[in-house]
Amino acid sequence: MRSRCLSFCAFASLLPASCAAPQISNTPAAPRTIAITIDDLPVHAPFPPGTTPTQVNEQLISALRNGGVKTVTAFVNGHSLETSPETEQVLEEWRRAGAILGNHGWSHKNLNDLSAADYEREVLLNEPLLERLGGGTDWHWYRFPYLAEGEDAAKRAEIRSFLAQHGYRIAAVTMSFSDWQWTAPYARCATAGNTRAIAELERMYLEAATADADYTRMIAVKLYGHDIPHVVLLHVSAMTARMMPRLLDLYRRLGFHFISLGEAEADPSYAEDIDPRLAPR
């Protein structure tokens, strides 16, 4: 989110050069927790040849279930059902697997490119789908597409007021290694049958995830004096579906336990970020 991600990034830019390498091994021992969140359900293209959005979603659901992740919050762009109507069934599978479906805007529009009124319509267009699929669950979580919360203070305040009036909490993010950047390269390499290149993509993916986790924890300790529960942003891509078992193993090796988004963002460090009634930092 703007306040969470930019506050972390702004702080990181002020760190001396000696802090550039993420070294946190000497910080006090504390439980390490992380919430898995997944954006752009049900379609995040491109896909390798012969791979469908339904297959990618099912692969992710299976990996999370087998990996012991009990609660995931997954953010939906309802417009994808217009071009891939069969994926509504897979959204139902996410729900049966225990996922919370949250609002990611109808068509993943960037707030900075729209008027506040047009953006508010994007939020509301998604609600009938979420109400139908997620009725009885805590689906009033909102994840800003592109993590863009508005280009000026007036628009940010207007949208936060709108979200508050409609009962939303903002789904903040602390960890993101931009897994979306692997989506197109993986599809190209798979199309070419280049297994050596795919292996290199896999190595880079896990390396980026490790560096992101270490660096973000270091910033949390610098900001708060201790680590906090973290929220990682991932995407429903073929590459992340392929890598999810290894990614979950990686987080476990780093000492993380998996919790829900609600549990993570109940931590006081998130209070001003998730409550749209409060002014952003």
Side-chain angles (χ1 to χ4, degrees):
M1 307 324 306
R2 174 189 174 276
S3 49
R4 172 64 51 179
C5 283
L6 291 192
S7 64
F8 265 51
C9 294
F11 184 85
S13 70
L14 299 176
L15 293 176
S18 61
C19 291
Q23 298 294 330
I24 58 173
S25 58
N26 294 325
T27 58
R32 301 179 187 179
T33 54
I34 188 170
I36 305 291
T37 67
I38 301 178
D39 283 11
D40 296 1
L41 264 70
V43 178
H44 181 84
F47 301 105
T51 302
T52 68
T54 295
Q55 290 170 338
V56 168
N57 281 267
E58 290 176 342
Q59 186 177 0
L60 269 172
I61 292 168
S62 177
L64 291 162
R65 181 189 293 115
N66 293 337
V69 181
K70 296 180 179 179
T71 305
V72 170
T73 303
F75 292 91
V76 176
N77 303 123
H79 82 104
S80 293
L81 273 64
E82 294 181 338
T83 54
S84 302
E86 73 283 358
T87 56
E88 182 166 345
Q89 181 177 345
V90 85
L91 293 179
E92 295 171 353
E93 290 183 27
W94 278 101
R95 282 290 305 116
R96 286 193 292 271
I100 301 296
L101 300 181
N103 197 331
H104 199 34
W106 177 252
S107 56
H108 204 274
K109 294 289 180 63
N110 191 323
L111 173 56
N112 298 345
D113 297 332
L114 298 179
S115 68
D118 287 341
Y119 191 81
E120 290 163 7
R121 282 192 285 273
E122 282 278 307
V123 176
L124 295 176
L125 275 172
N126 239 13
E127 290 194 344
L129 173 65
L130 293 170
E131 179 65 45
R132 184 169 74 254
L133 295 176
T137 66
D138 185 16
W139 60 266
H140 281 86
W141 284 97
Y142 187 74
R143 168 71 53 75
F144 285 92
Y146 306 101
L147 300 182
E149 296 193 19
E151 70 275 23
D152 57 57
K155 184 183 279 187
R156 289 195 294 273
E158 182 172 350
I159 294 301
R160 288 176 75 91
S161 176
F162 167 82
L163 292 173
Q165 291 169 16
H166 289 268
Y168 284 98
R169 286 173 291 173
I170 297 168
V173 175
T174 58
M175 288 186 187
S176 173
F177 59 96
S178 299
D179 71 313
W180 58 268
Q181 293 186 95
W182 277 263
T183 305
Y186 172 59
R188 289 196 299 270
C189 292
T191 300
N194 191 334
T195 56
R196 183 175 179 179
I198 291 172
E200 179 63 10
L201 289 175
E202 293 172 342
R203 184 195 67 78
M204 294 169 63
Y205 185 103
L206 294 175
E207 183 179 80
T210 303
D212 175 60
D214 286 345
Y215 191 58
T216 304
R217 290 187 64 244
M218 180 191 71
I219 294 175
V221 171
K222 292 286 185 179
L223 279 172
Y224 302 109
H226 58 83
D227 202 8
I228 63 172
H230 288 283
V231 177
V232 63
L233 186 163
L234 301 168
H235 293 80
V236 63
S237 69
M239 181 64 173
T240 288
R242 178 186 182 91
M243 296 302 295
M244 185 60 76
R246 280 173 279 182
L247 183 62
L248 297 180
D249 286 344
L250 168 65
Y251 287 141
R252 284 200 175 89
R253 289 198 304 273
L254 293 174
F256 285 104
H257 301 277
F258 301 112
I259 60 175
S260 69
L261 175 64
E263 289 171 320
E265 301 199 347
D267 188 88
S269 61
Y270 287 93
E272 294 181 12
D273 295 306
I274 72 168
D275 188 344
R277 298 170 299 179
L278 303 177
R281 300 177 195 177

